[in-house]
Amino acid sequence: MSKKLVEAMADLDEDVVLEEVKALKEQGVPALEIIESLQAGMETVGKRFEEKEYFLSELIMSAEVFNEASELIGGMDTSGTSKYGKFVIGTIYDDIHDIGKNIVTTVMRSNGFEVIDLGVDIPTAKFIEAIKQHKPKVVGISCLLTTCFDNVKECIQAIEDAGLRNDVKVLIGGGPVDEATGKYVKADIVAKNAQNTVDYCKQFA
Ligand code: B12
Protein backbone atom coordinates (compact mmCIF):
# COMPACT_ATOMS: atom_id res chain seq x y z
CA MET A 1 0.00 0.00 0.00
CA SER A 2 1.12 3.56 -0.64
CA LYS A 3 1.11 5.43 2.68
CA LYS A 4 1.26 8.73 0.81
CA LEU A 5 -1.84 7.86 -1.24
CA VAL A 6 -3.77 6.55 1.79
CA GLU A 7 -3.06 9.78 3.69
CA ALA A 8 -3.78 12.09 0.77
CA MET A 9 -7.13 10.33 0.15
CA ALA A 10 -7.99 10.59 3.85
CA ASP A 11 -7.07 14.28 3.86
CA LEU A 12 -9.01 14.84 0.59
CA ASP A 13 -5.88 16.36 -0.94
CA GLU A 14 -6.99 16.00 -4.54
CA ASP A 15 -3.75 17.22 -6.16
CA VAL A 16 -1.55 14.81 -4.20
CA VAL A 17 -3.99 11.91 -4.80
CA LEU A 18 -3.92 12.41 -8.56
CA GLU A 19 -0.14 12.99 -8.62
CA GLU A 20 0.50 9.82 -6.59
CA VAL A 21 -1.92 7.69 -8.66
CA LYS A 22 -0.10 8.85 -11.80
CA ALA A 23 3.29 8.04 -10.27
CA LEU A 24 2.21 4.57 -9.08
CA LYS A 25 0.71 3.80 -12.47
CA GLU A 26 3.96 4.83 -14.17
CA GLN A 27 5.87 2.53 -11.81
CA GLY A 28 3.65 -0.33 -13.01
CA VAL A 29 1.75 -0.85 -9.75
CA PRO A 30 -1.37 -2.96 -10.54
CA ALA A 31 -4.71 -1.12 -10.65
CA LEU A 32 -6.20 -3.18 -7.81
CA GLU A 33 -3.31 -2.32 -5.51
CA ILE A 34 -3.78 1.40 -6.16
CA ILE A 35 -7.52 1.01 -5.45
CA GLU A 36 -6.70 -0.75 -2.18
CA SER A 37 -4.82 2.35 -0.98
CA LEU A 38 -7.66 4.64 -2.05
CA GLN A 39 -10.15 2.40 -0.23
CA ALA A 40 -8.05 2.51 2.95
CA GLY A 41 -8.08 6.31 2.72
CA MET A 42 -11.88 6.23 2.35
CA GLU A 43 -12.10 4.22 5.57
CA THR A 44 -10.40 7.07 7.39
CA VAL A 45 -12.79 9.53 5.71
CA GLY A 46 -15.64 7.43 7.12
CA LYS A 47 -14.11 7.43 10.60
CA ARG A 48 -13.60 11.20 10.53
CA PHE A 49 -17.24 11.58 9.47
CA GLU A 50 -18.36 9.41 12.39
CA GLU A 51 -16.22 11.49 14.74
CA LYS A 52 -17.75 14.69 13.30
CA GLU A 53 -14.41 15.95 12.06
CA TYR A 54 -15.83 15.64 8.52
CA PHE A 55 -19.39 16.37 7.36
CA LEU A 56 -21.54 15.38 4.39
CA SER A 57 -19.73 17.82 2.11
CA GLU A 58 -16.46 15.95 2.79
CA LEU A 59 -18.13 12.59 2.04
CA ILE A 60 -19.31 13.99 -1.29
CA MET A 61 -15.85 15.42 -1.98
CA SER A 62 -14.26 12.02 -1.17
CA ALA A 63 -16.47 10.32 -3.77
CA GLU A 64 -15.46 12.91 -6.37
CA VAL A 65 -11.74 12.51 -5.66
CA PHE A 66 -12.06 8.70 -5.68
CA ASN A 67 -13.89 8.72 -9.02
CA GLU A 68 -11.32 11.06 -10.59
CA ALA A 69 -8.52 8.81 -9.36
CA SER A 70 -10.32 5.72 -10.75
CA GLU A 71 -10.58 7.38 -14.16
CA LEU A 72 -6.87 8.06 -14.07
CA ILE A 73 -6.12 4.45 -13.10
CA GLY A 74 -8.19 3.09 -16.01
CA GLY A 75 -6.27 0.24 -17.54
CA MET A 76 -8.76 -2.53 -16.74
CA ASP A 77 -9.77 -4.11 -20.01
CA THR A 78 -13.50 -4.70 -19.97
CA SER A 79 -13.91 -5.31 -23.70
CA GLY A 80 -13.12 -9.03 -23.78
CA THR A 81 -15.83 -11.53 -24.62
CA SER A 82 -17.37 -13.10 -21.53
CA LYS A 83 -16.25 -16.64 -20.84
CA TYR A 84 -17.55 -17.14 -17.32
CA GLY A 85 -21.28 -16.50 -17.57
CA LYS A 86 -23.52 -13.91 -16.00
CA PHE A 87 -23.33 -12.02 -12.72
CA VAL A 88 -26.09 -9.68 -11.55
CA ILE A 89 -25.15 -6.89 -9.14
CA GLY A 90 -26.93 -3.96 -7.53
CA THR A 91 -26.97 -1.77 -4.43
CA ILE A 92 -29.92 -2.53 -2.15
CA TYR A 93 -32.85 -0.12 -1.89
CA ASP A 94 -32.45 3.01 0.28
CA ASP A 95 -28.68 2.87 -0.32
CA ILE A 96 -27.07 4.98 -3.05
CA HIS A 97 -23.38 4.13 -2.50
CA ASP A 98 -21.95 2.83 -5.75
CA ILE A 99 -18.17 3.26 -5.81
CA GLY A 100 -17.43 -0.25 -4.49
CA LYS A 101 -20.14 -1.83 -6.64
CA ASN A 102 -18.70 -0.14 -9.72
CA ILE A 103 -15.20 -1.45 -8.93
CA VAL A 104 -16.55 -4.99 -8.54
CA THR A 105 -18.40 -4.58 -11.86
CA THR A 106 -15.27 -3.39 -13.68
CA VAL A 107 -13.02 -6.08 -12.22
CA MET A 108 -15.55 -8.86 -12.91
CA ARG A 109 -15.91 -7.69 -16.51
CA SER A 110 -12.17 -7.52 -16.96
CA ASN A 111 -11.99 -11.12 -15.70
CA GLY A 112 -14.41 -12.42 -18.30
CA PHE A 113 -17.84 -12.25 -16.63
CA GLU A 114 -20.90 -10.74 -18.24
CA VAL A 115 -22.10 -8.30 -15.58
CA ILE A 116 -25.64 -6.98 -15.41
CA ASP A 117 -25.33 -3.89 -13.22
CA LEU A 118 -28.77 -2.90 -11.96
CA GLY A 119 -27.53 0.34 -10.34
CA VAL A 120 -28.27 1.75 -6.90
CA ASP A 121 -31.35 1.89 -4.64
CA ILE A 122 -32.63 -1.34 -6.20
CA PRO A 123 -35.94 -2.74 -4.95
CA THR A 124 -36.33 -6.45 -4.26
CA ALA A 125 -38.69 -6.91 -7.22
CA LYS A 126 -35.98 -5.70 -9.60
CA PHE A 127 -33.45 -8.23 -8.28
CA ILE A 128 -36.02 -11.01 -8.72
CA GLU A 129 -36.92 -9.86 -12.22
CA ALA A 130 -33.22 -9.81 -13.17
CA ILE A 131 -32.63 -13.31 -11.78
CA LYS A 132 -35.59 -14.64 -13.79
CA GLN A 133 -34.52 -12.84 -16.95
CA HIS A 134 -30.74 -13.38 -16.92
CA LYS A 135 -30.46 -16.63 -14.93
CA PRO A 136 -27.09 -15.76 -13.35
CA LYS A 137 -25.23 -18.30 -11.22
CA VAL A 138 -24.40 -15.59 -8.68
CA VAL A 139 -26.13 -12.38 -7.64
CA GLY A 140 -24.25 -9.70 -5.72
CA ILE A 141 -25.88 -7.24 -3.35
CA SER A 142 -23.95 -4.18 -2.24
CA CYS A 143 -24.81 -2.54 1.09
CA LEU A 144 -22.88 0.26 2.80
CA LEU A 145 -25.43 1.20 5.45
CA THR A 146 -26.13 -0.86 8.55
CA THR A 147 -29.66 0.55 8.44
CA CYS A 148 -30.15 -1.35 5.18
CA PHE A 149 -29.14 -4.80 6.45
CA ASP A 150 -32.83 -5.62 6.98
CA ASN A 151 -33.52 -4.64 3.36
CA VAL A 152 -30.90 -7.15 2.20
CA LYS A 153 -32.41 -9.79 4.47
CA GLU A 154 -35.87 -9.10 3.06
CA CYS A 155 -34.53 -9.26 -0.50
CA ILE A 156 -32.83 -12.64 0.04
CA GLN A 157 -35.96 -14.00 1.73
CA ALA A 158 -38.05 -12.82 -1.23
CA ILE A 159 -35.66 -14.59 -3.63
CA GLU A 160 -36.32 -17.75 -1.61
CA ASP A 161 -40.09 -17.17 -1.55
CA ALA A 162 -40.01 -16.81 -5.34
CA GLY A 163 -38.54 -20.32 -5.54
CA LEU A 164 -35.22 -19.06 -6.96
CA ARG A 165 -32.89 -19.54 -4.00
CA ASN A 166 -31.54 -22.92 -5.17
CA ASP A 167 -30.70 -21.48 -8.58
CA VAL A 168 -28.41 -18.66 -7.42
CA LYS A 169 -25.69 -18.03 -4.91
CA VAL A 170 -26.10 -14.72 -3.11
CA LEU A 171 -22.95 -12.77 -2.47
CA ILE A 172 -22.98 -9.62 -0.35
CA GLY A 173 -20.36 -6.90 0.07
CA GLY A 174 -19.77 -3.32 1.17
CA GLY A 175 -17.78 -1.53 3.89
CA PRO A 176 -19.71 -2.49 7.06
CA VAL A 177 -20.72 -5.98 5.91
CA ASP A 178 -19.02 -8.85 7.77
CA GLU A 179 -19.51 -12.56 8.46
CA ALA A 180 -22.14 -11.85 11.12
CA THR A 181 -24.10 -9.78 8.60
CA GLY A 182 -23.81 -12.62 6.11
CA LYS A 183 -25.38 -15.01 8.60
CA TYR A 184 -28.07 -12.51 9.60
CA VAL A 185 -29.25 -11.86 6.05
CA LYS A 186 -28.70 -15.50 5.00
CA ALA A 187 -26.25 -14.77 2.20
CA ASP A 188 -24.06 -17.58 0.85
CA ILE A 189 -20.87 -15.60 1.14
CA VAL A 190 -19.44 -12.23 2.09
CA ALA A 191 -16.82 -10.70 -0.21
CA LYS A 192 -14.34 -8.20 1.14
CA ASN A 193 -13.15 -6.96 -2.23
CA ALA A 194 -13.37 -7.35 -5.97
CA GLN A 195 -10.70 -10.06 -6.23
CA ASN A 196 -12.57 -12.26 -3.67
CA THR A 197 -15.66 -11.85 -5.82
CA VAL A 198 -13.84 -13.02 -8.94
CA ASP A 199 -12.32 -16.02 -7.13
CA TYR A 200 -15.66 -17.05 -5.64
CA CYS A 201 -17.66 -16.67 -8.85
CA LYS A 202 -15.14 -18.65 -10.92
CA GLN A 203 -16.12 -21.76 -8.91
CA PHE A 204 -19.58 -21.60 -10.45
CA ALA A 205 -18.54 -20.66 -13.97
C1 B12 B 1 -18.19 8.03 -0.24
C2 B12 B 1 -19.24 7.83 0.83
C3 B12 B 1 -20.50 8.39 0.60
C4 B12 B 1 -20.89 9.06 -0.72
C5 B12 B 1 -21.20 7.93 -1.73
C6 B12 B 1 -20.96 8.33 -3.17
C7 B12 B 1 -21.12 7.15 -4.12
N1 B12 B 1 -21.37 7.51 -5.37
O1 B12 B 1 -21.03 6.00 -3.76
C8 B12 B 1 -22.15 9.88 -0.30
C9 B12 B 1 -21.73 11.30 0.03
C10 B12 B 1 -23.29 9.95 -1.32
C11 B12 B 1 -22.57 9.17 1.00
C12 B12 B 1 -23.82 9.31 1.57
C13 B12 B 1 -24.18 8.79 2.81
N2 B12 B 1 -23.40 8.10 3.64
CO1 B12 B 1 -21.68 7.41 3.09
N3 B12 B 1 -19.83 6.91 2.97
C14 B12 B 1 -18.95 7.09 2.02
C15 B12 B 1 -17.59 6.48 2.46
C16 B12 B 1 -16.69 7.60 2.97
C17 B12 B 1 -16.81 5.69 1.42
C18 B12 B 1 -17.56 4.55 0.73
C19 B12 B 1 -16.72 4.08 -0.45
O2 B12 B 1 -17.01 4.42 -1.59
N4 B12 B 1 -15.61 3.35 -0.16
C20 B12 B 1 -14.65 2.90 -1.17
C21 B12 B 1 -15.13 1.60 -1.82
C22 B12 B 1 -14.12 1.15 -2.89
O3 B12 B 1 -15.21 0.61 -0.81
P1 B12 B 1 -16.50 -0.30 -0.58
O4 B12 B 1 -17.73 0.43 -0.95
O5 B12 B 1 -16.41 -0.86 0.77
O6 B12 B 1 -16.36 -1.47 -1.68
C23 B12 B 1 -15.38 -2.49 -1.65
C24 B12 B 1 -15.79 -3.72 -0.83
O7 B12 B 1 -16.62 -3.42 0.26
C25 B12 B 1 -16.43 -4.63 -1.83
N5 B12 B 1 -17.85 -4.44 -2.20
C26 B12 B 1 -18.64 -3.35 -2.17
N6 B12 B 1 -19.85 -3.63 -2.65
C27 B12 B 1 -19.85 -4.91 -2.99
C28 B12 B 1 -20.87 -5.70 -3.51
C29 B12 B 1 -20.63 -7.03 -3.76
C30 B12 B 1 -21.71 -7.87 -4.33
C31 B12 B 1 -19.36 -7.56 -3.48
C32 B12 B 1 -19.12 -8.96 -3.74
C33 B12 B 1 -18.33 -6.78 -2.96
C34 B12 B 1 -18.59 -5.45 -2.72
O8 B12 B 1 -15.63 -4.42 -2.97
C35 B12 B 1 -15.28 -3.03 -3.07
C36 B12 B 1 -13.89 -2.94 -3.67
O9 B12 B 1 -12.92 -3.55 -2.88
C37 B12 B 1 -18.07 5.50 3.60
C38 B12 B 1 -17.01 5.12 4.64
C39 B12 B 1 -16.58 3.67 4.52
N7 B12 B 1 -15.67 3.31 5.37
O10 B12 B 1 -17.04 2.90 3.73
C40 B12 B 1 -19.28 6.27 4.16
C41 B12 B 1 -20.39 5.51 4.89
C42 B12 B 1 -20.72 4.20 4.20
N8 B12 B 1 -21.58 6.44 4.76
C43 B12 B 1 -22.23 6.52 5.82
C44 B12 B 1 -23.39 7.33 5.98
C45 B12 B 1 -23.99 7.41 7.36
C46 B12 B 1 -23.95 8.02 4.88
C47 B12 B 1 -25.23 8.89 4.90
C48 B12 B 1 -26.40 8.31 5.69
C49 B12 B 1 -24.82 10.29 5.40
C50 B12 B 1 -25.96 11.27 5.57
N9 B12 B 1 -26.13 11.72 6.79
O11 B12 B 1 -26.67 11.59 4.66
C51 B12 B 1 -25.56 8.97 3.39
C52 B12 B 1 -26.49 7.84 2.92
C53 B12 B 1 -26.99 8.01 1.51
C54 B12 B 1 -27.74 6.76 1.06
N10 B12 B 1 -29.06 6.74 1.21
O12 B12 B 1 -27.15 5.81 0.61
C55 B12 B 1 -21.71 5.63 6.94
C56 B12 B 1 -22.55 4.38 7.19
C57 B12 B 1 -22.60 4.05 8.65
C58 B12 B 1 -23.42 2.87 8.96
N11 B12 B 1 -23.21 2.35 10.13
O13 B12 B 1 -24.23 2.42 8.22
C59 B12 B 1 -20.23 5.36 6.47
C60 B12 B 1 -19.66 3.99 6.89
C61 B12 B 1 -19.37 6.51 7.08
C62 B12 B 1 -19.27 6.41 8.57
N12 B12 B 1 -18.26 5.75 9.10
O14 B12 B 1 -20.10 6.94 9.27
N13 B12 B 1 -21.59 8.44 1.48
Side-chain angles (χ1 to χ4, degrees):
M1 256 202 240
S2 156
K3 194 165 174 267
K4 189 173 172 193
L5 183 54
V6 176
E7 281 175 8
M9 185 66 236
D11 294 342
L12 305 175
D13 193 336
E14 186 176 0
D15 292 344
V16 177
V17 167
L18 299 181
E19 225 170 71
E20 184 64 6
V21 166
K22 235 187 239 164
L24 292 170
K25 208 183 152 188
E26 275 163 19
Q27 287 161 30
V29 175
L32 279 180
E33 257 176 57
I34 305 178
I35 287 174
E36 228 177 277
S37 297
L38 291 169
Q39 194 178 330
M42 288 297 243
E43 264 164 46
T44 306
V45 171
K47 281 195 194 107
R48 290 181 184 170
F49 176 74
E50 251 172 69
E51 288 157 7
K52 300 194 168 38
E53 183 184 333
Y54 280 175
F55 297 95
L56 193 56
S57 52
E58 276 87 6
L59 281 194
I60 295 168
M61 169 88 181
S62 73
E64 281 168 9
V65 174
F66 195 108
N67 284 334
E68 262 185 80
S70 297
E71 260 175 49
L72 209 57
I73 294 168
M76 282 189 263
D77 179 16
T78 59
S79 62
T81 49
S82 72
K83 56 178 177 185
Y84 286 124
K86 292 180 180 175
F87 174 66
V88 164
I89 190 168
T91 301
I92 196 67
Y93 61 94
D94 295 340
D95 188 343
I96 59 162
H97 293 86
D98 68 355
I99 296 175
K101 172 189 70 60
N102 294 344
I103 289 172
V104 173
T105 297
T106 305
V107 174
M108 285 288 282
R109 283 187 181 141
S110 69
N111 276 275
F113 287 87
E114 183 185 339
V115 183
I116 296 105
D117 181 358
L118 302 175
V120 297
D121 192 17
I122 300 303
T124 295
K126 216 167 163 191
F127 276 104
I128 290 180
E129 193 186 302
I131 295 169
K132 284 185 180 161
Q133 185 187 345
H134 300 288
K135 301 187 172 44
K137 299 241 172 65
V138 185
V139 56
I141 305 177
S142 186
C143 181
L144 271 284
L145 300 173
T146 48
T147 48
C148 289
F149 286 175
D150 280 322
N151 301 3
V152 178
K153 189 179 167 80
E154 185 264 339
C155 181
I156 296 175
Q157 184 60 50
I159 293 172
E160 189 170 336
D161 294 345
L164 300 166
R165 192 66 181 88
N166 292 331
D167 304 338
V168 278
K169 296 287 175 196
V170 181
L171 177 63
I172 60 164
V177 167
D178 61 13
E179 290 302 321
T181 319
K183 275 204 183 110
Y184 177 68
V185 303
K186 297 203 181 127
D188 291 295
I189 190 133
V190 175
K192 267 322 212 190
N193 56 44
Q195 193 54 50
N196 288 163
T197 311
V198 170
D199 295 343
Y200 178 75
C201 291
K202 276 188 179 168
Q203 296 174 55
F204 304 100

